[in-house]
């Protein structure tokens, strides 16, 4: 990896030391990923995220004291820039949906292949939302979160284009290339979209777009 490209800084959060050790072993062989710290619960995760400023946090959900969901909420309240990737052994939608609503950028299972884990870290760091189709359906179900309705008309044509790309899971860099814009311009469009639609993050923006497409309305 060229010296000019800094590694992706990762914080490991799990209440089981053996799991953290296994994740560290997976990641230490990756040239572009650096494990900068560990935490054993949600409260420590918030403290260490503030102190270490990782790019990506690998977070378990079920932990004593402050669990992963609460930690996600606290990180969002503090405006933490780190992207949170859930690492879990739970497969039920009812477990994962709250995490995604709370701001997680995606999830992988604890038995994930090492290369797939590294790929997931790179993906969320690049701005992608790792949302499985079946989980997107659960998020969009009648008992899922309702995004603000009827606000799409406030978006410009260019913002609608950008929103469509967000719904397809593309990062800002990929959107910039597709639309022949600078990455800075795309970031501005994304910020305007979130502000106009009163959404908290890219995950909510993607869900808003999918919901309105499925309803037959404009993105």
């Amino acid at each position: 990896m060229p010296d000019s490209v800094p590694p992706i800084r990762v914080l490991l959060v799990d209440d089981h030391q053996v799991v953290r050790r296994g994740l560290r072993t997976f990641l230490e062989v990756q040239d572009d990923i650096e494990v900068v710290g560990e935490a054993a619960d949600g409260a420590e995760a918030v403290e260490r995220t503030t102190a270490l400023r990782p790019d990506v946090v690998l977070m378990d959900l079920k932990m004593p004291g402050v669990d992963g969901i609460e930690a996600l909420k606290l990180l969002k309240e503090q405006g933490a820039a780190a992207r949170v990737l859930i690492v879990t052994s739970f497969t039920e939608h009812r477990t994962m949906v709250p995490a995604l609503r709370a701001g997680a950028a995606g999830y992988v299972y604890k038995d994930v292949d090492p290369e797939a884990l590294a790929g997931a870290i790179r993906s969320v760091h690049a701005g992608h939302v790792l949302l499985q189709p079946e989980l997107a359906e659960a998020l969009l179900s009648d008992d899922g979160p309702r995004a603000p309705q009827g606000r799409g008309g406030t978006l410009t044509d260019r913002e609608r284009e950008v929103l469509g790309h967000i719904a397809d899971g593309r990062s800002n860099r990929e959107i910039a290339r597709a639309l022949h814009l600078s990455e800075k311009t795309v970031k501005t469009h994304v910020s305007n979209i979130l502000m106009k639609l009163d959404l908290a993050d890219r995950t909510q923006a993607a869900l808003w777009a999918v919901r309105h497409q499925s309803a037959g309305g404009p993105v």
Side-chain angles (χ1 to χ4, degrees):
M1 182 182 63
D3 292 338
S4 59
V5 180
I8 302 169
R9 295 164 50 81
V10 175
L11 175 68
L12 306 178
V13 183
D14 195 288
D15 58 323
H16 293 100
Q17 185 178 11
V18 66
V19 173
R20 299 199 306 272
R21 185 178 301 154
L23 291 171
R24 181 181 283 273
T25 300
F26 284 173
L27 299 176
E28 284 184 337
V29 299
Q30 305 295 326
D31 292 338
D32 61 337
I33 296 174
E34 177 187 3
V35 177
V36 296
E38 301 180 13
D41 58 44
E44 188 179 8
V46 174
E47 293 175 0
R48 303 226 74 190
T49 298
T50 300
L52 298 173
R53 299 187 179 278
D55 300 307
V56 176
V57 177
L58 296 189
M59 179 99 70
D60 188 20
L61 285 179
K62 301 297 182 181
M63 296 179 290
V66 178
D67 65 11
I69 301 294
E70 186 61 28
L72 277 162
K73 294 176 181 177
L74 291 171
L75 289 173
K76 179 177 285 189
E77 288 175 4
Q78 294 183 6
R83 303 271 286 167
V84 179
L85 179 64
I86 298 299
V87 183
T88 182
S89 57
F90 294 93
T91 59
E92 299 92 344
H93 290 164
R94 67 176 182 273
T95 303
M96 292 309 308
V97 167
L100 292 166
R101 291 178 186 168
Y107 70 96
V108 295
Y109 297 119
K110 287 186 177 179
D111 60 355
V112 65
D113 176 86
E115 289 300 323
L117 174 62
I121 291 171
R122 296 182 187 110
S123 184
V124 298
H125 179 250
H128 293 281
V129 176
L130 299 184
L131 193 62
Q132 300 297 327
E134 65 272 14
L135 198 55
E137 183 177 346
L139 281 162
L140 291 168
S141 64
D142 288 340
D143 60 351
R146 291 290 178 179
Q149 301 295 316
R151 297 284 299 280
T154 67
L155 300 181
T156 66
D157 290 342
R158 178 64 84 184
E159 287 164 355
R160 289 193 185 94
E161 283 186 288
V162 172
L163 181 58
H165 285 288
I166 292 174
D168 290 335
R170 294 188 174 92
S171 67
N172 285 351
R173 180 172 298 179
E174 290 170 331
I175 296 172
R177 289 174 179 170
L179 299 180
H180 306 289
L181 301 171
S182 70
E183 195 169 346
K184 182 177 180 181
T185 297
V186 172
K187 288 180 180 179
T188 299
H189 285 314
V190 172
S191 296
N192 289 340
I193 290 166
L194 297 181
M195 178 187 66
K196 288 181 178 181
L197 298 182
D198 192 24
L199 302 173
D201 52 38
R202 296 173 74 94
T203 302
Q204 289 190 8
L207 293 173
W208 192 98
V210 172
R211 181 183 293 281
H212 282 260
Q213 285 175 329
S214 65
V219 173

